[in-house]
Amino acid sequence: MLEHLLSPAARKRALLLVLAVVTALSLVACGEAEEPESPGEATPEPVEVTNVILASTTSTEDSGLFSELVPAFQDAYPQYRLDVVAVGTGQALEIGRAKDADVLLVHAKADEEQFVADGYGVERRDVMYNDFVIVGPGSDPGGIAGTDDAAAALTAIAEGGYTFISRGDDSGTHKKELSLWEAAGIEPAGDWYLSIGQGMGDTLNMASESKAYTIADRGTYLSMKDRIELVVVVEGDERLFNPYGVIVVTDASNPEGAQAFADWIVSAEGQDVIREFGVDTYGEPLFIPNTQ
Amino acid sequence: MQVFVDAVVTAVTLLFQGSAELWNVIAATFEVAIISTVAGVAFGAPMGFVMGATRFRGRRLLIALTNTGMAVPPVVIGLVVMMFLSRRGPLGFLGLLYSVDAMSIAQTLISTPIIAGLTAAAVASVPYKLRLQARSLGASRIQEALLALKEARLGVLAAVASGFGAVVRGVGAVMMVGGNIEGQTRVLTTAIVQESRKGDFGLALALGLILMFITFTMNGFLTWYQHSNERFEGR
Protein backbone atom coordinates (compact mmCIF):
# COMPACT_ATOMS: atom_id res chain seq x y z
CA MET A 1 0.00 0.00 0.00
CA LEU A 2 2.71 2.50 0.82
CA GLU A 3 5.55 0.99 -1.15
CA HIS A 4 5.78 3.76 -3.68
CA LEU A 5 6.88 6.20 -1.02
CA LEU A 6 9.96 4.41 0.02
CA SER A 7 12.35 5.58 -2.60
CA PRO A 8 15.46 6.11 -0.39
CA ALA A 9 14.97 3.04 1.77
CA ALA A 10 13.84 1.00 -1.20
CA ARG A 11 16.95 1.91 -3.10
CA LYS A 12 19.07 0.75 -0.19
CA ARG A 13 17.07 -2.45 -0.04
CA ALA A 14 17.54 -3.04 -3.74
CA LEU A 15 21.30 -2.80 -3.27
CA LEU A 16 21.13 -5.34 -0.46
CA LEU A 17 19.00 -7.56 -2.65
CA VAL A 18 21.62 -7.50 -5.41
CA LEU A 19 24.30 -8.40 -2.85
CA ALA A 20 22.15 -11.24 -1.56
CA VAL A 21 21.56 -12.54 -5.07
CA VAL A 22 25.27 -12.45 -5.90
CA THR A 23 26.05 -14.30 -2.67
CA ALA A 24 23.31 -16.84 -3.30
CA LEU A 25 24.42 -17.41 -6.89
CA SER A 26 28.04 -17.92 -5.91
CA LEU A 27 26.95 -20.38 -3.23
CA VAL A 28 24.86 -22.24 -5.80
CA ALA A 29 27.79 -22.30 -8.21
CA CYS A 30 30.06 -23.76 -5.52
CA GLY A 31 27.49 -26.20 -4.19
CA GLU A 32 26.38 -27.59 -7.53
CA ALA A 33 29.27 -29.98 -8.10
CA GLU A 34 28.75 -31.88 -4.83
CA GLU A 35 24.93 -32.15 -5.03
CA PRO A 36 23.83 -35.77 -5.27
CA GLU A 37 22.05 -36.55 -8.54
CA SER A 38 18.71 -37.71 -7.14
CA PRO A 39 18.44 -36.82 -3.47
CA GLY A 40 14.72 -37.64 -3.53
CA GLU A 41 15.18 -41.41 -3.42
CA ALA A 42 13.47 -42.86 -0.39
CA THR A 43 15.66 -44.71 2.05
CA PRO A 44 14.06 -48.03 2.92
CA GLU A 45 14.91 -48.35 6.63
CA PRO A 46 13.49 -45.66 8.93
CA VAL A 47 16.22 -43.18 9.81
CA GLU A 48 16.21 -40.05 11.91
CA VAL A 49 13.17 -37.91 11.14
CA THR A 50 13.97 -34.41 9.95
CA ASN A 51 11.44 -31.67 9.36
CA VAL A 52 10.77 -30.00 6.04
CA ILE A 53 9.15 -26.57 6.18
CA LEU A 54 6.67 -25.94 3.39
CA ALA A 55 5.54 -22.34 2.99
CA SER A 56 2.22 -22.14 1.25
CA THR A 57 -0.80 -19.89 1.10
CA THR A 58 -3.78 -19.53 3.39
CA SER A 59 -6.19 -20.29 0.54
CA THR A 60 -4.49 -23.64 -0.07
CA GLU A 61 -4.56 -24.42 3.65
CA ASP A 62 -8.21 -23.32 3.93
CA SER A 63 -9.18 -25.65 1.09
CA GLY A 64 -8.12 -28.61 3.24
CA LEU A 65 -5.74 -29.98 0.61
CA PHE A 66 -2.89 -30.33 3.07
CA SER A 67 -4.85 -32.67 5.30
CA GLU A 68 -4.62 -35.13 2.36
CA LEU A 69 -1.22 -34.21 0.96
CA VAL A 70 0.75 -34.23 4.20
CA PRO A 71 -0.15 -37.76 5.39
CA ALA A 72 0.26 -39.16 1.86
CA PHE A 73 3.72 -37.61 1.56
CA GLN A 74 4.74 -38.87 4.98
CA ASP A 75 3.60 -42.38 4.12
CA ALA A 76 5.91 -42.26 1.13
CA TYR A 77 8.76 -40.57 3.01
CA PRO A 78 8.61 -41.48 6.72
CA GLN A 79 12.02 -39.90 7.28
CA TYR A 80 10.56 -36.42 6.81
CA ARG A 81 8.03 -34.49 8.82
CA LEU A 82 6.30 -31.90 6.67
CA ASP A 83 5.47 -28.66 8.53
CA VAL A 84 3.12 -26.38 6.62
CA VAL A 85 3.29 -22.64 7.22
CA ALA A 86 0.28 -21.01 5.56
CA VAL A 87 0.67 -17.29 4.91
CA GLY A 88 0.02 -14.85 2.06
CA THR A 89 1.88 -15.49 -1.20
CA GLY A 90 3.99 -12.35 -0.65
CA GLN A 91 4.97 -13.51 2.79
CA ALA A 92 5.60 -17.07 1.59
CA LEU A 93 8.06 -15.76 -1.00
CA GLU A 94 9.66 -13.53 1.63
CA ILE A 95 10.04 -16.51 3.98
CA GLY A 96 11.67 -18.34 1.09
CA ARG A 97 14.06 -15.44 0.45
CA ALA A 98 15.05 -15.52 4.11
CA LYS A 99 15.54 -19.32 3.75
CA ASP A 100 13.14 -19.83 6.67
CA ALA A 101 11.31 -22.40 4.52
CA ASP A 102 12.71 -25.31 2.52
CA VAL A 103 10.10 -25.55 -0.21
CA LEU A 104 7.26 -23.37 -1.49
CA LEU A 105 3.88 -24.24 -2.96
CA VAL A 106 2.35 -20.97 -4.13
CA HIS A 107 0.31 -19.50 -6.95
CA ALA A 108 1.73 -16.33 -8.43
CA LYS A 109 3.53 -17.59 -11.51
CA ALA A 110 5.27 -14.37 -12.57
CA ASP A 111 6.58 -13.75 -9.05
CA GLU A 112 7.65 -17.37 -8.71
CA GLU A 113 9.62 -17.16 -11.94
CA GLN A 114 11.23 -13.94 -10.70
CA PHE A 115 12.02 -15.68 -7.40
CA VAL A 116 13.89 -18.42 -9.27
CA ALA A 117 15.53 -15.94 -11.65
CA ASP A 118 16.81 -13.99 -8.63
CA GLY A 119 18.48 -17.16 -7.40
CA TYR A 120 16.29 -17.75 -4.36
CA GLY A 121 14.78 -20.91 -5.77
CA VAL A 122 16.33 -23.86 -7.55
CA GLU A 123 13.58 -24.45 -10.09
CA ARG A 124 9.83 -23.90 -10.50
CA ARG A 125 7.64 -26.79 -11.63
CA ASP A 126 3.95 -26.82 -12.50
CA VAL A 127 1.91 -28.78 -9.96
CA MET A 128 -1.78 -28.08 -10.47
CA TYR A 129 -4.27 -25.34 -11.09
CA ASN A 130 -7.59 -24.34 -9.70
CA ASP A 131 -9.82 -21.57 -10.89
CA PHE A 132 -11.27 -18.33 -9.65
CA VAL A 133 -14.88 -17.31 -9.82
CA ILE A 134 -16.45 -13.88 -9.62
CA VAL A 135 -19.17 -14.02 -6.98
CA GLY A 136 -21.84 -11.55 -6.02
CA PRO A 137 -25.25 -11.18 -4.42
CA GLY A 138 -28.05 -13.33 -5.80
CA SER A 139 -29.88 -10.19 -6.97
CA ASP A 140 -26.92 -9.50 -9.31
CA PRO A 141 -27.45 -5.71 -9.52
CA GLY A 142 -24.83 -5.43 -12.27
CA GLY A 143 -26.66 -7.98 -14.42
CA ILE A 144 -23.44 -9.82 -15.23
CA ALA A 145 -24.42 -13.39 -14.43
CA GLY A 146 -23.93 -15.86 -17.23
CA THR A 147 -21.05 -14.19 -19.02
CA ASP A 148 -17.74 -16.01 -19.23
CA ASP A 149 -15.77 -12.86 -19.98
CA ALA A 150 -14.24 -11.84 -16.66
CA ALA A 151 -12.93 -8.52 -17.95
CA ALA A 152 -16.31 -7.51 -19.36
CA ALA A 153 -17.94 -8.40 -16.03
CA LEU A 154 -15.49 -6.20 -14.12
CA THR A 155 -16.12 -3.36 -16.59
CA ALA A 156 -19.85 -3.63 -15.89
CA ILE A 157 -19.23 -3.58 -12.12
CA ALA A 158 -16.97 -0.52 -12.37
CA GLU A 159 -19.26 1.40 -14.74
CA GLY A 160 -22.30 0.72 -12.57
CA GLY A 161 -20.37 1.60 -9.42
CA TYR A 162 -21.43 -1.63 -7.68
CA THR A 163 -19.46 -2.40 -4.54
CA PHE A 164 -16.46 -4.61 -5.21
CA ILE A 165 -14.27 -5.95 -2.41
CA SER A 166 -10.61 -6.48 -3.13
CA ARG A 167 -8.34 -8.65 -0.99
CA GLY A 168 -5.72 -5.92 -1.38
CA ASP A 169 -3.15 -8.10 0.37
CA ASP A 170 -0.70 -8.86 -2.42
CA SER A 171 -1.90 -12.47 -2.38
CA GLY A 172 -2.13 -14.65 -5.46
CA THR A 173 -5.85 -13.93 -5.59
CA HIS A 174 -5.25 -10.19 -5.34
CA LYS A 175 -2.68 -10.33 -8.11
CA LYS A 176 -5.09 -12.27 -10.28
CA GLU A 177 -7.75 -9.65 -9.65
CA LEU A 178 -5.37 -6.85 -10.61
CA SER A 179 -4.43 -8.62 -13.83
CA LEU A 180 -8.12 -8.82 -14.73
CA TRP A 181 -8.64 -5.09 -14.10
CA GLU A 182 -5.66 -4.50 -16.33
CA ALA A 183 -7.21 -6.70 -19.01
CA ALA A 184 -10.39 -4.63 -18.68
CA GLY A 185 -8.34 -1.43 -19.04
CA ILE A 186 -9.65 -0.05 -15.74
CA GLU A 187 -7.76 1.31 -12.80
CA PRO A 188 -10.16 0.46 -9.97
CA ALA A 189 -10.68 3.31 -7.52
CA GLY A 190 -13.57 5.05 -5.89
CA ASP A 191 -16.18 4.60 -3.20
CA TRP A 192 -17.37 1.34 -4.72
CA TYR A 193 -13.92 -0.31 -4.61
CA LEU A 194 -12.99 -1.50 -1.11
CA SER A 195 -9.46 -2.78 -0.56
CA ILE A 196 -9.34 -4.64 2.75
CA GLY A 197 -6.01 -6.44 3.01
CA GLN A 198 -7.53 -9.61 4.46
CA GLY A 199 -7.77 -13.31 3.71
CA MET A 200 -10.19 -15.08 1.39
CA GLY A 201 -12.65 -16.14 4.10
CA ASP A 202 -12.87 -12.63 5.59
CA THR A 203 -13.30 -11.15 2.13
CA LEU A 204 -16.16 -13.50 1.26
CA ASN A 205 -17.86 -12.76 4.58
CA MET A 206 -17.59 -9.06 4.00
CA ALA A 207 -18.86 -9.33 0.42
CA SER A 208 -21.83 -11.33 1.67
CA GLU A 209 -22.58 -8.78 4.41
CA SER A 210 -22.17 -5.79 2.08
CA LYS A 211 -23.96 -7.36 -0.92
CA ALA A 212 -20.83 -6.80 -2.93
CA TYR A 213 -18.98 -8.53 -5.73
CA THR A 214 -15.60 -10.12 -5.23
CA ILE A 215 -13.29 -12.67 -6.77
CA ALA A 216 -12.55 -15.91 -4.95
CA ASP A 217 -10.86 -19.21 -5.56
CA ARG A 218 -13.48 -21.87 -6.17
CA GLY A 219 -12.30 -24.07 -3.28
CA THR A 220 -12.73 -21.45 -0.58
CA TYR A 221 -16.02 -20.31 -2.10
CA LEU A 222 -17.41 -23.87 -2.18
CA SER A 223 -16.30 -24.52 1.39
CA MET A 224 -18.17 -21.41 2.61
CA LYS A 225 -21.09 -21.43 0.19
CA ASP A 226 -23.67 -22.57 2.75
CA ARG A 227 -22.79 -19.89 5.25
CA ILE A 228 -22.74 -16.88 2.92
CA GLU A 229 -25.22 -15.28 0.56
CA LEU A 230 -23.19 -15.14 -2.62
CA VAL A 231 -23.58 -16.87 -5.98
CA VAL A 232 -21.12 -17.47 -8.81
CA VAL A 233 -21.70 -14.89 -11.52
CA VAL A 234 -18.68 -15.48 -13.78
CA GLU A 235 -16.70 -18.67 -14.32
CA GLY A 236 -14.85 -20.50 -17.06
CA ASP A 237 -12.75 -17.64 -18.44
CA GLU A 238 -9.27 -18.99 -19.11
CA ARG A 239 -7.87 -15.90 -17.43
CA LEU A 240 -9.46 -17.12 -14.19
CA PHE A 241 -7.21 -20.19 -14.07
CA ASN A 242 -4.74 -20.19 -11.22
CA PRO A 243 -1.57 -22.24 -11.65
CA TYR A 244 0.37 -23.53 -8.65
CA GLY A 245 4.09 -24.13 -8.71
CA VAL A 246 6.50 -25.90 -6.39
CA ILE A 247 9.93 -24.40 -5.75
CA VAL A 248 12.81 -25.80 -3.73
CA VAL A 249 14.51 -22.94 -1.90
CA THR A 250 18.17 -22.41 -2.74
CA ASP A 251 20.40 -23.53 0.15
CA ALA A 252 17.40 -24.82 2.10
CA SER A 253 18.19 -26.11 5.58
CA ASN A 254 16.77 -29.49 4.56
CA PRO A 255 17.57 -29.65 0.82
CA GLU A 256 17.00 -33.44 0.56
CA GLY A 257 13.60 -33.23 2.23
CA ALA A 258 12.61 -30.23 0.13
CA GLN A 259 13.64 -31.98 -3.07
CA ALA A 260 11.83 -35.15 -1.98
CA PHE A 261 8.59 -33.22 -1.51
CA ALA A 262 8.93 -31.37 -4.81
CA ASP A 263 9.64 -34.61 -6.67
CA TRP A 264 6.81 -36.42 -4.92
CA ILE A 265 4.11 -33.82 -5.58
CA VAL A 266 4.79 -33.91 -9.33
CA SER A 267 4.99 -37.73 -9.35
CA ALA A 268 2.04 -39.87 -10.44
CA GLU A 269 1.34 -40.62 -6.77
CA GLY A 270 1.22 -36.97 -5.68
CA GLN A 271 -0.80 -35.96 -8.71
CA ASP A 272 -3.38 -38.66 -7.91
CA VAL A 273 -3.86 -37.31 -4.39
CA ILE A 274 -4.53 -33.87 -5.87
CA ARG A 275 -6.95 -35.25 -8.50
CA GLU A 276 -9.04 -37.08 -5.91
CA PHE A 277 -9.14 -34.32 -3.32
CA GLY A 278 -12.56 -32.71 -2.83
CA VAL A 279 -14.46 -35.11 -5.11
CA ASP A 280 -16.22 -36.71 -2.12
CA THR A 281 -17.36 -33.40 -0.66
CA TYR A 282 -18.05 -31.24 -3.70
CA GLY A 283 -18.58 -33.82 -6.44
CA GLU A 284 -15.74 -32.26 -8.42
CA PRO A 285 -12.00 -31.91 -7.89
CA LEU A 286 -10.90 -28.53 -6.52
CA PHE A 287 -7.48 -28.74 -8.11
CA ILE A 288 -6.53 -30.10 -11.51
CA PRO A 289 -3.05 -31.70 -11.55
CA ASN A 290 -1.05 -30.47 -14.52
CA THR A 291 2.56 -31.55 -14.20
CA GLN A 292 3.92 -32.12 -17.68
CA MET B 1 20.14 -5.67 11.97
CA GLN B 2 19.86 -3.72 8.74
CA VAL B 3 16.11 -4.32 8.66
CA PHE B 4 15.67 -2.46 11.97
CA VAL B 5 17.72 0.48 10.79
CA ASP B 6 15.71 0.52 7.56
CA ALA B 7 12.48 0.45 9.56
CA VAL B 8 13.47 3.56 11.52
CA VAL B 9 14.48 5.32 8.29
CA THR B 10 11.22 4.24 6.65
CA ALA B 11 9.14 5.39 9.62
CA VAL B 12 10.72 8.85 9.59
CA THR B 13 10.50 9.08 5.80
CA LEU B 14 6.83 8.07 5.85
CA LEU B 15 6.00 10.65 8.51
CA PHE B 16 7.82 13.45 6.74
CA GLN B 17 6.59 12.63 3.26
CA GLY B 18 3.11 12.30 4.73
CA SER B 19 1.11 10.54 2.03
CA ALA B 20 -2.65 10.98 2.10
CA GLU B 21 -2.96 7.28 2.69
CA LEU B 22 -0.79 7.22 5.79
CA TRP B 23 -2.63 10.23 7.19
CA ASN B 24 -5.94 8.47 6.56
CA VAL B 25 -4.66 5.53 8.59
CA ILE B 26 -3.39 7.78 11.39
CA ALA B 27 -6.62 9.82 11.37
CA ALA B 28 -8.75 6.67 11.64
CA THR B 29 -6.49 5.40 14.44
CA PHE B 30 -6.96 8.64 16.39
CA GLU B 31 -10.67 8.84 15.66
CA VAL B 32 -11.33 5.35 17.03
CA ALA B 33 -8.93 5.77 19.97
CA ILE B 34 -10.29 9.15 21.04
CA ILE B 35 -13.98 8.30 20.63
CA SER B 36 -13.62 5.04 22.52
CA THR B 37 -11.44 6.57 25.26
CA VAL B 38 -13.85 9.48 25.79
CA ALA B 39 -16.84 7.12 25.76
CA GLY B 40 -14.94 4.76 28.05
CA VAL B 41 -14.38 7.62 30.49
CA ALA B 42 -18.02 8.72 30.23
CA PHE B 43 -19.29 5.22 31.08
CA GLY B 44 -16.39 3.77 33.05
CA ALA B 45 -15.34 6.64 35.33
CA PRO B 46 -18.74 7.14 37.04
CA MET B 47 -19.13 3.37 37.30
CA GLY B 48 -15.67 3.05 38.81
CA PHE B 49 -16.33 5.94 41.14
CA VAL B 50 -19.53 4.37 42.47
CA MET B 51 -17.81 1.01 42.87
CA GLY B 52 -14.82 2.54 44.65
CA ALA B 53 -16.42 5.16 46.87
CA THR B 54 -19.74 3.67 47.90
CA ARG B 55 -20.99 0.47 49.49
CA PHE B 56 -24.00 -1.30 48.07
CA ARG B 57 -25.41 -4.76 47.56
CA GLY B 58 -23.75 -6.67 44.71
CA ARG B 59 -20.74 -4.35 44.73
CA ARG B 60 -18.24 -7.20 44.95
CA LEU B 61 -19.93 -9.06 42.14
CA LEU B 62 -19.86 -5.93 40.00
CA ILE B 63 -16.15 -5.45 40.71
CA ALA B 64 -15.46 -9.09 39.84
CA LEU B 65 -17.41 -8.68 36.58
CA THR B 66 -15.53 -5.49 35.75
CA ASN B 67 -12.20 -7.19 36.36
CA THR B 68 -13.30 -10.04 34.13
CA GLY B 69 -14.28 -7.49 31.48
CA MET B 70 -10.74 -6.15 31.58
CA ALA B 71 -9.45 -9.58 30.60
CA VAL B 72 -11.88 -10.54 27.83
CA PRO B 73 -9.89 -11.03 24.61
CA PRO B 74 -10.60 -8.18 22.17
CA VAL B 75 -11.26 -10.69 19.42
CA VAL B 76 -14.20 -12.08 21.42
CA ILE B 77 -15.61 -8.59 21.86
CA GLY B 78 -15.12 -8.06 18.13
CA LEU B 79 -16.94 -11.29 17.37
CA VAL B 80 -19.92 -10.39 19.55
CA VAL B 81 -20.16 -6.84 18.16
CA MET B 82 -19.87 -8.21 14.64
CA MET B 83 -22.69 -10.69 15.24
CA PHE B 84 -24.90 -7.91 16.60
CA LEU B 85 -24.16 -5.54 13.72
CA SER B 86 -24.30 -8.21 11.00
CA ARG B 87 -27.15 -7.97 8.50
CA ARG B 88 -28.49 -11.12 10.13
CA GLY B 89 -27.93 -9.74 13.63
CA PRO B 90 -30.36 -7.80 15.84
CA LEU B 91 -28.78 -4.41 15.04
CA GLY B 92 -28.16 -5.15 11.37
CA PHE B 93 -30.71 -2.55 10.27
CA LEU B 94 -28.32 0.18 11.46
CA GLY B 95 -25.88 -0.75 8.69
CA LEU B 96 -22.91 0.00 10.93
CA LEU B 97 -20.70 -3.02 10.26
CA TYR B 98 -17.35 -2.19 8.62
CA SER B 99 -17.34 1.43 9.71
CA VAL B 100 -15.38 3.60 12.12
CA ASP B 101 -18.52 3.69 14.28
CA ALA B 102 -18.52 -0.09 14.61
CA MET B 103 -14.84 0.00 15.58
CA SER B 104 -15.51 2.72 18.16
CA ILE B 105 -18.33 0.67 19.68
CA ALA B 106 -16.14 -2.42 20.01
CA GLN B 107 -13.21 -0.43 21.42
CA THR B 108 -15.50 1.34 23.89
CA LEU B 109 -16.54 -2.07 25.22
CA ILE B 110 -12.83 -2.75 25.70
CA SER B 111 -11.91 0.58 27.31
CA THR B 112 -14.93 0.90 29.64
CA PRO B 113 -14.13 -1.98 32.04
CA ILE B 114 -10.46 -0.99 32.14
CA ILE B 115 -11.25 2.60 33.04
CA ALA B 116 -14.00 1.53 35.48
CA GLY B 117 -11.84 -1.06 37.23
CA LEU B 118 -8.79 1.14 37.63
CA THR B 119 -10.88 4.16 38.68
CA ALA B 120 -12.59 2.03 41.32
CA ALA B 121 -9.21 0.91 42.67
CA ALA B 122 -7.89 4.48 42.72
CA VAL B 123 -10.95 5.90 44.45
CA ALA B 124 -11.07 3.04 46.97
CA SER B 125 -7.49 3.79 48.02
CA VAL B 126 -8.44 7.28 49.25
CA PRO B 127 -8.31 7.03 53.09
CA TYR B 128 -11.78 6.64 54.51
CA LYS B 129 -10.84 8.85 57.47
CA LEU B 130 -10.30 11.76 55.13
CA ARG B 131 -13.85 11.42 53.88
CA LEU B 132 -15.17 11.11 57.46
CA GLN B 133 -13.32 14.27 58.35
CA ALA B 134 -14.83 16.09 55.38
CA ARG B 135 -18.25 14.90 56.43
CA SER B 136 -17.72 16.06 60.02
CA LEU B 137 -16.76 19.48 58.67
CA GLY B 138 -20.21 19.61 57.04
CA ALA B 139 -19.42 18.45 53.49
CA SER B 140 -22.41 17.21 51.53
CA ARG B 141 -22.38 13.73 49.96
CA ILE B 142 -21.50 15.26 46.59
CA GLN B 143 -18.71 17.39 48.03
CA GLU B 144 -17.35 14.32 49.77
CA ALA B 145 -17.41 12.37 46.51
CA LEU B 146 -15.69 15.18 44.64
CA LEU B 147 -13.00 15.29 47.32
CA ALA B 148 -12.38 11.55 46.95
CA LEU B 149 -12.17 11.93 43.17
CA LYS B 150 -9.76 14.84 43.52
CA GLU B 151 -7.54 12.86 45.87
CA ALA B 152 -7.57 9.90 43.49
CA ARG B 153 -6.98 11.94 40.33
CA LEU B 154 -3.51 10.51 39.61
CA GLY B 155 -4.91 6.99 39.68
CA VAL B 156 -7.84 8.08 37.53
CA LEU B 157 -5.43 9.56 34.99
CA ALA B 158 -3.56 6.27 34.92
CA ALA B 159 -6.91 4.56 34.29
CA VAL B 160 -7.56 6.84 31.32
CA ALA B 161 -4.04 6.22 29.97
CA SER B 162 -4.58 2.46 30.26
CA GLY B 163 -7.90 2.73 28.44
CA PHE B 164 -6.32 4.76 25.65
CA GLY B 165 -3.42 2.31 25.43
CA ALA B 166 -5.75 -0.66 25.14
CA VAL B 167 -7.77 0.83 22.30
CA VAL B 168 -4.85 2.25 20.34
CA ARG B 169 -2.93 -1.03 20.38
CA GLY B 170 -5.97 -3.27 19.82
CA VAL B 171 -6.16 -5.21 16.60
CA GLY B 172 -8.47 -8.21 16.94
CA ALA B 173 -11.75 -6.38 17.41
CA VAL B 174 -11.11 -3.55 14.94
CA MET B 175 -10.04 -5.99 12.24
CA MET B 176 -13.29 -7.94 12.65
CA VAL B 177 -15.79 -5.09 12.82
CA GLY B 178 -13.88 -2.51 10.78
CA GLY B 179 -12.65 -4.79 8.02
CA ASN B 180 -9.38 -2.91 7.40
CA ILE B 181 -10.86 -1.04 4.40
CA GLU B 182 -8.25 1.14 2.76
CA GLY B 183 -8.91 4.85 3.27
CA GLN B 184 -11.81 4.14 5.63
CA THR B 185 -11.37 1.68 8.46
CA ARG B 186 -7.69 0.86 8.14
CA VAL B 187 -5.84 1.76 11.33
CA LEU B 188 -2.16 1.39 12.24
CA THR B 189 -2.52 -2.00 13.90
CA THR B 190 -4.51 -3.59 11.07
CA ALA B 191 -2.11 -2.07 8.53
CA ILE B 192 0.75 -3.71 10.46
CA VAL B 193 -0.96 -7.11 10.31
CA GLN B 194 -1.55 -6.64 6.60
CA GLU B 195 2.01 -5.59 5.73
CA SER B 196 3.41 -8.50 7.76
CA ARG B 197 1.18 -10.91 5.86
CA LYS B 198 2.42 -9.43 2.61
CA GLY B 199 5.96 -10.05 3.77
CA ASP B 200 6.94 -6.37 3.95
CA PHE B 201 8.32 -6.66 7.47
CA GLY B 202 10.27 -3.41 7.18
CA LEU B 203 7.16 -1.36 6.43
CA ALA B 204 5.20 -3.23 9.13
CA LEU B 205 7.89 -2.38 11.67
CA ALA B 206 7.95 1.24 10.53
CA LEU B 207 4.19 1.49 11.09
CA GLY B 208 4.74 -0.08 14.51
CA LEU B 209 7.26 2.63 15.35
CA ILE B 210 4.76 5.32 14.32
CA LEU B 211 2.19 3.72 16.61
CA MET B 212 4.69 3.65 19.46
CA PHE B 213 5.52 7.29 18.82
CA ILE B 214 1.84 8.22 19.12
CA THR B 215 1.40 6.29 22.38
CA PHE B 216 4.63 7.73 23.73
CA THR B 217 3.47 11.27 22.99
CA MET B 218 0.12 10.69 24.70
CA ASN B 219 1.70 9.06 27.72
CA GLY B 220 4.43 11.67 27.89
CA PHE B 221 1.74 14.31 28.09
CA LEU B 222 -0.10 12.47 30.88
CA THR B 223 3.10 11.83 32.83
CA TRP B 224 4.03 15.48 32.58
CA TYR B 225 0.61 16.40 33.90
CA GLN B 226 0.89 13.91 36.77
CA HIS B 227 4.29 15.23 37.77
CA SER B 228 3.20 18.83 37.72
CA ASN B 229 0.48 17.75 40.17
CA GLU B 230 2.92 15.95 42.40
CA ARG B 231 5.13 19.03 42.61
CA PHE B 232 2.14 21.03 43.62
CA GLU B 233 1.36 18.58 46.40
CA GLY B 234 4.91 18.43 47.68
CA ARG B 235 5.07 22.18 48.19
Side-chain angles (χ1 to χ4, degrees):
Chain A
M1 64 180 235
L2 303 155
E3 298 78 344
H4 52 286
L5 308 166
L6 306 177
S7 39
R11 223 172 295 144
K12 197 182 268 178
R13 216 183 301 161
L15 187 71
L16 282 170
L17 201 82
V18 171
L19 280 174
V21 172
V22 171
T23 321
L25 283 178
S26 53
L27 283 172
V28 172
C30 301
E32 220 155 34
E34 298 114 47
E35 289 269 315
E37 270 306 280
S38 54
E41 292 294 313
T43 345
E45 67 270 18
V47 286
E48 200 188 333
V49 176
T50 56
N51 72 321
V52 179
I53 298 175
L54 169 66
S56 189
T57 66
T58 44
S59 58
T60 325
E61 167 100 333
D62 291 347
S63 74
L65 178 65
F66 289 124
S67 55
E68 299 286 329
L69 272 184
V70 172
F73 171 70
Q74 286 180 172
D75 281 350
Y77 290 87
Q79 68 270 45
Y80 300 123
R81 193 187 74 228
L82 192 64
D83 296 335
V84 179
V85 181
V87 290
T89 299
Q91 191 172 348
L93 291 170
E94 195 60 41
I95 290 174
R97 280 188 202 103
K99 303 188 195 304
D100 288 331
D102 301 311
V103 59
L104 309 178
L105 181 65
V106 289
H107 50 100
K109 198 168 177 182
D111 290 349
E112 291 164 39
E113 279 162 355
Q114 188 61 46
F115 182 88
V116 173
D118 289 344
Y120 294 113
V122 178
E123 172 191 22
R124 178 196 179 279
R125 283 185 283 177
D126 286 326
V127 174
M128 61 190 184
Y129 68 89
N130 64 347
D131 70 335
F132 289 105
V133 288
I134 297 177
V135 295
S139 57
D140 190 21
I144 55 175
T147 178
D148 60 1
D149 184 338
L154 290 185
T155 306
I157 291 170
E159 281 172 357
Y162 303 107
T163 310
F164 184 94
I165 297 183
S166 167
R167 295 266 303 258
D169 61 352
D170 231 5
S171 61
T173 311
H174 180 218
K175 287 178 171 151
K176 174 63 78 179
E177 180 215 315
L178 292 180
S179 74
L180 291 170
W181 286 115
E182 207 178 319
I186 292 172
E187 198 157 310
D191 282 351
W192 57 275
Y193 185 78
L194 306 180
S195 173
I196 66 164
Q198 296 200 66
M200 194 71 262
D202 297 313
T203 304
L204 282 167
N205 274 327
M206 194 188 285
S208 174
E209 274 295 333
S210 320
K211 298 193 173 170
Y213 291 98
T214 191
I215 178 168
D217 65 282
R218 188 184 294 272
T220 311
Y221 168 72
L222 285 177
S223 69
M224 293 180 63
K225 199 172 81 155
D226 298 338
R227 281 169 285 143
I228 53 178
E229 294 166 29
L230 293 172
V231 298
V232 172
V233 288
V234 182
E235 61 185 327
D237 189 325
E238 215 167 90
R239 287 171 295 192
L240 290 169
F241 290 173
N242 177 38
Y244 281 70
V246 67
I247 304 174
V248 174
V249 173
T250 309
D251 294 326
S253 40
N254 189 347
E256 294 83 15
Q259 192 64 46
F261 176 76
D263 289 342
W264 176 82
I265 198 169
V266 300
S267 72
E269 198 185 334
Q271 297 274 293
D272 279 344
V273 174
I274 293 167
R275 187 176 297 109
E276 283 152 28
F277 171 70
V279 175
D280 289 348
T281 319
Y282 305 114
E284 53 183 316
L286 296 185
F287 298 95
I288 315 295
N290 71 335
T291 299
Q292 303 297 307
Chain B
M1 255 341 273
Q2 188 59 39
V3 70
F4 293 99
V5 177
D6 278 351
V8 175
V9 173
T10 307
V12 173
T13 315
L14 281 175
L15 275 177
F16 279 94
Q17 285 182 339
S19 76
E21 207 183 319
L22 178 68
W23 291 117
N24 275 338
V25 170
I26 292 178
T29 307
F30 265 107
E31 193 177 345
V32 172
I34 288 172
I35 292 176
S36 50
T37 307
V38 169
V41 170
F43 297 127
M47 232 176 97
F49 180 77
V50 170
M51 286 191 297
T54 60
R55 298 286 177 273
F56 55 92
R57 243 181 115 94
R59 172 175 171 270
R60 284 188 182 181
L61 180 67
L62 194 62
I63 289 176
L65 284 175
T66 307
N67 289 336
T68 309
M70 290 166 78
V72 173
V75 69
V76 173
I77 290 176
L79 181 65
V80 171
V81 172
M82 188 181 84
M83 287 163 75
F84 267 87
L85 296 181
S86 158
R87 274 202 292 134
R88 278 171 285 185
L91 298 176
F93 65 92
L94 295 172
L96 282 181
L97 195 56
Y98 307 127
S99 67
V100 167
D101 292 341
M103 295 157 83
S104 303
I105 292 170
Q107 296 301 74
T108 299
L109 291 176
I110 290 168
S111 66
T112 301
I114 293 174
I115 293 172
L118 296 180
T119 301
V123 171
S125 67
V126 173
Y128 187 59
K129 279 188 181 156
L130 184 74
R131 289 166 51 196
L132 275 184
Q133 203 173 14
R135 211 181 293 173
S136 69
L137 289 171
S140 70
R141 275 288 162 117
I142 291 172
Q143 283 172 323
E144 183 195 328
L146 286 175
L147 175 73
L149 196 59
K150 194 173 167 239
E151 285 302 310
R153 69 188 174 282
L154 293 183
V156 175
L157 271 180
V160 176
S162 301
F164 178 83
V167 294
V168 82
R169 72 169 173 256
V171 59
V174 289
M175 182 69 102
M176 286 186 96
V177 304
N180 190 33
I181 301 171
E182 183 179 1
Q184 298 181 30
T185 61
R186 183 162 299 163
V187 291
L188 280 165
T189 50
T190 58
I192 292 167
V193 170
Q194 176 183 357
E195 296 304 333
S196 317
R197 277 195 198 137
K198 281 161 71 169
D200 199 339
F201 301 139
L203 181 54
L205 198 57
L207 292 169
L209 288 173
I210 293 174
L211 182 63
M212 278 165 64
F213 177 71
I214 290 175
T215 348
F216 177 77
T217 311
M218 289 300 283
N219 283 315
F221 188 73
L222 281 171
T223 312
W224 171 79
Y225 183 78
Q226 281 181 339
H227 275 248
S228 59
N229 268 289
E230 275 167 10
R231 266 205 306 279
F232 174 74
E233 274 157 19
R235 207 166 52 174

